[in-house]
């Protein structure tokens, strides 16, 4: 998914903003803004649930589990968003609506654009905060930005993150109740001292997120197509 993050220009700016008392966005409000009542959202992303890095993230979840109002991501939801395709609909009414045929073209175009892309080494951490999400910073030497640029020709990405402000990250929780900010401001400085986690990305996917449950529930995900980095 593409997270509502306020378009911070750097991770340092995001952290300073949180420390200064920026308001957090409730999960229900974020969902209403993002979906506008639509159900099927598609995006190119890096799946992380099957990597060892997910084990380390689950350990971090254990440190955060007692904070009321914090909604932790399940393992299968962990990913790095790259570029959105849009919401699949029958009849297009909004600029970020796409038809089934357009999704099919983006799926095939992704295979062409990712051909020859190599595995990517990343470091994940420390933990940080955007207004709409608790996340882990990702450092990759710009490789994910290059992948994102490749995928530009697969979709117009009209309402995505501007390339100049792309900060790769792994969302690990959202805010059921923004009042959890007080507990996070106490807990996170210590957790930010943890060393980064190394991982190697060997695949990209085009994922479909189903926003069919209650507004306070996480969407379900299925993979439309997986692309191997070699």
């Amino acid at each position: 998914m593409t997270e509502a993050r306020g378009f911070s220009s750097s991770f340092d700016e995001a952290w300073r903003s949180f420390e200064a008392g920026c308001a957090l966005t409730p999960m229900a409000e974020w969902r209403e803004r993002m979906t506008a009542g639509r159900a099927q959202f598609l995006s190119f992303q890096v799946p992380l649930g099957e990597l060892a890095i997910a084990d380390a993230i689950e350990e971090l979840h254990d440190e955060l589990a007692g904070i009321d109002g914090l909604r932790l991501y399940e393992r299968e939801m962990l990913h790095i968003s790259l570029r959105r395709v849009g919401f699949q609909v029958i009849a297009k009414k909004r600029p970020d609506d796409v038809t089934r045929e357009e999704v099919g073209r983006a799926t095939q175009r992704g295979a062409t654009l990712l051909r020859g892309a190599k595995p990517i080494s990343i470091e994940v951490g420390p933990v940080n905060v955007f207004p709409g999400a608790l996340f882990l910073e990702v450092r990759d030497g710009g490789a994910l930005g290059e992948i994102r640029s490749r995928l530009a020709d697969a979709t117009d990405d009209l309402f995505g993150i501007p390339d100049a402000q792309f900060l790769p990250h792994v969302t690990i929780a959202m805010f059921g109740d923004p009042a959890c900010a007080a507990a996070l401001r106490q807990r996170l400085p210590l957790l930010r001292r943890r060393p980064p986690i190394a991982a190697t990305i060997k695949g990209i996917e085009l994922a479909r997120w189903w926003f069919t449950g209650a507004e306070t529930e996480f969407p379900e995900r299925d993979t439309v197509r997986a692309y191997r980095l070699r």
Side-chain angles (χ1 to χ4, degrees), residues 177-198:
D177 183 349
C180 67
L184 288 173
R185 289 191 176 96
Q186 290 183 340
R187 192 82 57 88
L188 294 187
L190 181 60
L191 294 178
R192 280 175 58 82
R193 298 177 189 174
R194 291 189 171 192
I197 311 157

Side-chain angles (χ1 to χ4, degrees), residues 48-108:
L48 299 176
E50 296 183 2
L51 300 183
I53 191 173
D55 296 331
I57 293 174
E58 288 184 336
E59 292 178 6
L60 181 59
H61 278 176
D62 290 341
E63 298 281 352
L64 299 167
I67 297 180
D68 291 338
L70 189 64
R71 298 291 309 281
L72 299 170
Y73 269 30
E74 297 176 356
R75 185 185 182 109
E76 60 269 21
M77 293 183 65
L78 297 173
H79 67 279
I80 303 171
S81 295
L82 294 175
R83 189 172 288 278
R84 66 188 289 164
V85 174
F87 285 89
Q88 184 174 325
V89 295
I90 296 174
K92 297 173 66 169
K93 298 179 181 179
R94 297 173 178 269
D96 57 342
D97 287 342
V98 292
T99 64
R100 183 175 61 181
E101 291 74 19
E102 288 171 323
V103 172
R105 288 196 293 271
T107 302
Q108 296 300 323

